[in-house]
Amino acid sequence: MAAPSGKIPRHDPPRRFPHRHLLAISDLSRSDIEFLLDRAEAFTPLAEQRVKKLDALKGRTLINLFFEPSTRTQSSFELAGKRLGADVVNMSASSSSVTKGETLIDTAATLNAMSPDLLVVRHGSSGAAELLARKVSCSVINAGDGQHEHPTQALLDALTIRREIGRIEGVRIAICGDVMHSRVARSNALLLTMLGAEVRLVGPPTLLPASSARWGASVHHDMKEGLAGADVVMMLRLQRERMQGGFIPSAREFFWFYGLDEEKLRHAKPGAFVMHPGPMNRGVEIDSAIADDARISLIERQVKMGVALRMAVLVALAEHGANESGE
Ligand code: NCD
């Protein structure tokens, strides 16, 4: 469905997103997730249009507050906000008063005083987004909090899978590598199992958290076994910035056992797709020949879906706020 310029694409019958914030997949129901995916689907044609701007968030203010480095997530939220007509302010920790010792709560109070409508936050501590949500009066979106969750990444991954395979129910997905430090893995495992996918977590015992048994997924230490018959292989970055001590002997050895190359991918279903949230460490968790093969790699499509999905989230939360204030 093409979005006529200036109008929000609507789905019939109009449903409502019942949450004020988007902090974690674990807060959502299956119908909340489907609502956001359907909404995002309607925004996807916009990227193909010459004029990509709507006015759904005209006059609204979105603040992007990033305490950790980010390329795709931050620019994706920025573009999503701008395509919806919002005023977007980007703040990163290195250019903010955080480097001068200001705490998260002080920063939140300062930003709150400027009356934003939407606050997107990425922070190195698990629970930071939730803490912020309790201190500000606008909607908060978690763009990654420590090792906890990264809900919009899981939603955009689900949108990508649904578009490429046509469904999520019954799809077999292997999430491989540094599961332990990955908020992407946690959010994806929760979302995909809720939507009926079969999720497998694959990695060395040192990089699989004990809690993963509660994520509704099976656990495998061998790529051959974990990838057997998989429809989708999702690779994760080795998050060395979250590792203290030796979780792996060396990057070379890690690639030998767990790096995705053509030989290991042969164990997945013929025609299986490969995903990666980025940034990639080529030659560590994924071979370039796989990452750059447009027939199997969905990596660029994930980025593309990210903007549509974030537009859907921003509109859903802004509508929720408008309903609450009686607009
Ligand atoms: C991920 C993140 O920040 O959690 N990246 C992203 O948002 N695309 C994964 C990672 O950093 O490895």
Side-chain angles (χ1 to χ4, degrees):
M1 178 176 86
S5 198
K7 294 259 164 29
I8 325 173
R10 266 215 110 90
H11 264 252
D12 245 2
R15 288 178 282 162
R16 198 176 149 268
F17 190 67
H19 304 275
R20 180 160 169 235
H21 308 290
L22 178 62
L23 302 176
I25 295 297
S26 60
D27 295 337
L28 304 182
S29 68
R30 186 177 177 136
S31 84
D32 295 338
I33 291 167
E34 282 166 355
F35 173 85
L36 292 174
L37 297 183
D38 291 348
R39 232 31 220 285
E41 187 70 50
F43 283 118
T44 57
L46 198 68
E48 270 31 270
Q49 291 180 13
R50 198 170 60 83
V51 177
K52 301 179 178 61
K53 211 156 168 106
L54 306 173
D55 61 9
L57 293 189
K58 196 168 166 204
R60 304 290 189 104
T61 308
L62 162 69
I63 298 183
N64 259 332
L65 178 59
F66 278 66
F67 292 89
E68 278 190 340
S70 168
T71 312
R72 67 210 80 217
T73 306
Q74 183 167 348
S75 50
S76 184
F77 271 111
E78 182 177 355
L79 259 187
K82 286 182 171 165
R83 286 186 181 171
L84 289 164
D87 296 313
V88 182
V89 178
N90 286 313
M91 292 190 50
S92 62
S94 55
S95 61
S96 74
S97 295
V98 175
T99 51
K100 299 179 189 164
E102 191 172 79
T103 66
L104 177 63
I105 304 297
D106 289 338
T107 307
T110 305
L111 296 177
N112 199 42
M114 298 179 202
S115 312
D117 300 283
L118 297 146
L119 185 59
V120 175
V121 64
R122 166 170 289 191
H123 196 279
S125 302
S126 302
E130 197 189 334
L131 180 66
L132 213 66
R134 280 194 254 128
K135 301 287 171 190
V136 297
S137 33
C138 63
S139 291
V140 173
I141 300 160
N142 181 9
D145 62 330
Q147 298 170 205
H148 176 227
E149 280 228 35
H150 190 351
T152 57
Q153 179 69 43
L155 286 159
L156 76 88
D157 288 340
L159 180 64
T160 309
I161 295 169
R162 204 174 77 162
R163 284 174 68 89
E164 297 303 325
I165 300 186
R167 67 195 154 85
I168 290 178
E169 181 103 43
V171 171
R172 183 177 288 173
I173 299 158
I175 303 179
C176 312
D178 184 2
V179 176
M180 164 94 99
H181 301 103
S182 177
R183 51 201 178 202
V184 174
R186 180 191 295 262
S187 291
N188 259 305
L190 295 172
L191 186 158
L192 293 167
T193 51
M194 207 189 310
L195 265 56
E198 180 199 330
V199 178
R200 296 170 169 188
L201 303 173
V202 192
T206 48
L207 292 178
L208 288 166
S211 66
S212 55
R214 294 198 300 270
W215 300 0
S218 60
V219 172
H220 307 262
H221 301 306
D222 176 62
M223 286 287 272
K224 188 174 162 185
E225 177 196 304
L227 263 58
D231 299 286
V232 175
V233 182
M234 186 182 288
M235 299 308 298
L236 302 169
R237 183 175 66 89
L238 265 189
Q239 306 211 357
R240 291 166 191 271
E241 74 276 18
R242 301 194 204 285
M243 295 183 194
Q244 278 142 16
F247 284 84
I248 54 158
S250 71
R252 242 172 98 105
E253 194 168 328
F254 182 81
F255 185 76
W256 175 261
F257 287 107
Y258 294 101
L260 188 66
D261 56 12
E262 277 168 6
E263 200 226 302
K264 293 194 195 78
L265 189 59
R266 251 179 247 135
H267 300 293
K269 221 179 235 173
F273 290 114
V274 173
M275 301 176 78
H276 194 304
M280 273 185 281
N281 286 315
R282 292 168 182 267
V284 178
E285 71 266 357
I286 191 163
D287 190 40
S288 281
I290 302 279
D292 299 332
D293 185 341
R295 290 165 307 169
I296 54 172
S297 167
L298 299 182
I299 298 169
E300 280 183 17
R301 273 167 268 182
Q302 289 173 266
V303 176
K304 191 169 180 165
M305 288 307 112
V307 179
L309 184 280
R310 288 174 176 122
M311 288 176 79
V313 168
L314 296 177
V315 167
L317 296 180
E319 281 174 355
H320 181 89
N323 285 340
E324 270 196 338
S325 62
E327 273 177 50

